[in-house]
Amino acid sequence: MSTISPPPIKRRELADDQGSTSHTSLSLLTIFSHNVNGIAPYLQPSIKAFFQPSQGSQAANSEPQASLRDFLRRHDFPCLLFLQEVKINPDDRATLRALEKAVASNTTTGSEPDYVVHVCLPSDKHNARGFGRKVYGVASIVRKEWFLTHIERVRPVSWDLEGRLLVIETKAIGPRPLAIFNIYAVNGTELPYKNANGAVIGTRHDRKLHVQSLLQAECRALETDGFGVILAGDMNIARTALDGHPNLRVFPHQHCINRADFEERFFASAAIPKVIDGSESSTASQPPVQAAGGLAMVDTYRKLHPTTKGYTYYPRGKTFGESCDRVDMIIVSKSLEAYISEAGILETTAERGPSDHVPLFARFDFSEIGVEGDVTAFRNDSK
């Protein structure tokens, strides 16, 4: 399930309601991403004391309660907040309304910006049925004035029925339009994966490899059409030894195959080999989409912090920092590399809140370069 951009008449009505207040230049794009591991604890009234409790207060010793509006306010009202693993039953209208209310400004003065919500929830009746259908799902929370000014449409992808991807397509920002993906990638396991008829056709590892090939093809088609692509969310892959503590996961060996495939498809520029990491892919029932080579994309955090140990997954059953991985990322087309102005991870227990992931963010500055300008030359000359 996903909400779709309103028609032009409705957009004009929203624009009239929004007023003239602007908290951020529309040429600046800030994206926050957070796997919340269930939206329910975040649909609370504003609780400012949760994130910075006074010393000795009861809040400091209790199970954290989160507030999406507090998060938006505390981080200067970003353009986009992407949530993964929201775990909303697709028929649960009450929770969807509560989510919309949780990010609303609730003011009539225009002192704070308003937000709109788009969701993609699972419809796969064979692979997304557990826990009362409260599995997977992504929510894209967008500042209303940014939505009204820049966004052409919000859409799912045809090859995902598990509620894992939602795409925002924009008008031209800087030299090109953007396609911004909110992603909760498949976690590779030995559990079975079923086709539309309910027949087992492989494992979740097989499905992960197939989705990576489909996502690569989707990105390549968008880049061919002139889009700059941004992938933000939980990739369920830790890229290198720098991204796993105390060690990078290498067992079972299939995780190494999944990782190598991810690297070849999204970061390499050479052709994808038929044999990856010494093993044949087992996706005969779901053959990978063949492509001429990798996309040569850019990992925003690694671009600005090439040797920093930073992690996004902190399991709640262990002491914070005892075991952690950087599996959440914001990666972009090579054509957008020069626009990256900041990237970071919010590595605190307070920012983790009720989840087992912490948020991350990236900022892009499109204000300094004209639409027809040479981006690379500008950046080199300005050093």
Side-chain angles (χ1 to χ4, degrees):
M1 172 186 176
S2 63
T3 54
I4 305 299
S5 305
I9 293 177
K10 182 62 177 176
R11 284 187 179 222
R12 286 195 295 271
E13 293 174 357
L14 291 172
D16 291 341
D17 292 340
Q18 185 65 17
S20 59
T21 301
S22 179
H23 295 256
T24 301
S25 170
L26 295 179
S27 61
L28 303 176
L29 170 60
T30 301
I31 302 173
F32 277 80
S33 178
H34 191 193
N35 179 323
V36 293
N37 192 24
I39 197 65
Y42 294 83
L43 305 183
Q44 305 292 334
S46 177
I47 307 175
K48 297 180 181 179
F50 158 60
F51 293 101
Q52 292 181 328
S54 59
Q55 187 173 5
S57 69
Q58 182 179 359
N61 299 315
S62 63
E63 179 67 19
Q65 296 294 304
S67 164
L68 290 176
R69 190 67 193 181
D70 278 349
F71 184 94
L72 294 168
R73 183 182 296 111
R74 186 171 68 260
H75 296 295
D76 299 322
F77 298 107
C79 301
L80 300 172
L81 170 59
F82 285 174
L83 306 179
Q84 300 88 39
E85 206 172 355
V86 293
K87 297 182 179 178
I88 301 173
N89 183 304
D91 298 324
D92 186 355
R93 298 289 179 180
T95 295
L96 292 174
R97 289 193 296 271
L99 175 56
E100 293 176 344
K101 184 177 179 180
V103 300
S105 66
N106 295 320
T107 67
T108 58
T109 63
S111 58
E112 291 186 349
D114 214 344
Y115 282 80
V116 295
V117 179
H118 297 264
V119 301
C120 183
L121 303 176
S123 60
D124 190 324
K125 62 182 180 179
H126 299 297
N127 298 291
R129 297 293 297 179
F131 304 100
R133 300 178 70 195
K134 293 183 179 180
V135 293
Y136 315 139
V138 298
S140 298
I141 299 167
V142 190
R143 265 181 57 161
K144 185 182 286 188
E145 77 259 38
W146 201 86
F147 171 81
L148 294 169
T149 303
H150 287 305
I151 292 179
E152 288 284 2
R153 65 170 176 163
V154 182
R155 64 173 177 86
V157 295
S158 61
W159 40 267
D160 166 55
L161 299 180
E162 292 189 346
R164 292 182 174 276
L165 292 100
L166 196 58
V167 187
I168 292 174
E169 294 182 3
T170 77
K171 303 172 185 177
I173 300 177
R176 59 185 50 80
L178 303 177
I180 311 171
F181 287 68
N182 183 357
I183 298 176
Y184 176 43
V186 176
N187 184 24
T189 71
E190 293 296 334
L191 293 173
Y193 181 78
K194 300 177 181 180
N195 65 13
N197 296 320
V200 174
I201 58 172
T203 69
R204 302 293 293 180
H205 285 302
D206 298 334
R207 178 59 180 171
K208 183 174 185 64
L209 289 172
H210 192 224
V211 166
Q212 287 178 178
S213 70
L214 291 166
L215 178 59
Q216 183 200 31
E218 185 97 15
C219 292
R220 191 183 300 281
L222 285 162
E223 289 186 341
T224 300
D225 287 342
F227 284 85
V229 176
I230 299 175
L231 308 180
D234 181 358
M235 307 301 172
N236 265 311
I237 289 279
R239 294 187 59 199
T240 70
L242 199 60
D243 302 313
H245 176 79
N247 299 297
L248 184 67
R249 185 175 185 180
V250 295
F251 182 84
H253 182 66
Q254 184 66 44
H255 290 292
C256 299
I257 298 173
N258 298 347
R259 179 182 301 116
D261 182 80
F262 182 74
E263 288 293 314
E264 290 286 348
R265 291 187 181 280
F266 295 98
F267 296 104
S269 56
I272 301 171
K274 293 182 180 180
V275 179
I276 297 174
D277 198 23
S279 300
E280 285 284 353
S281 169
S282 56
T283 56
S285 57
Q286 291 185 296
V289 177
Q290 297 301 314
L295 295 172
M297 298 184 81
V298 178
D299 183 335
T300 58
Y301 184 78
R302 278 287 160 254
K303 167 68 178 177
L304 300 184
H305 311 283
T307 61
T308 301
K309 293 181 179 180
Y311 310 105
T312 63
Y313 173 65
Y314 289 82
R316 297 195 62 85
K318 297 184 178 182
T319 302
F320 189 82
E322 177 185 355
S323 176
C324 41
D325 301 277
R326 189 176 72 96
V327 297
D328 304 83
M329 305 172 205
I330 300 175
I331 63 179
V332 303
S333 296
K334 186 70 173 178
S335 62
L336 299 179
E337 181 177 17
Y339 295 108
I340 303 167
S341 62
E342 191 175 354
I345 303 171
L346 309 180
E347 297 177 83
T348 69
T349 55
E351 293 286 4
R352 180 182 63 174
S355 180
D356 50 3
H357 293 245
V358 298
L360 69 155
F361 69 93
R363 292 192 174 97
F364 304 86
D365 187 351
F366 297 97
S367 63
E368 297 177 312
I369 308 166
V371 171
E372 303 299 330
D374 184 333
V375 176
T376 303
F378 179 93
R379 291 301 188 194
N380 291 339
D381 291 345
S382 63
K383 290 181 179 179

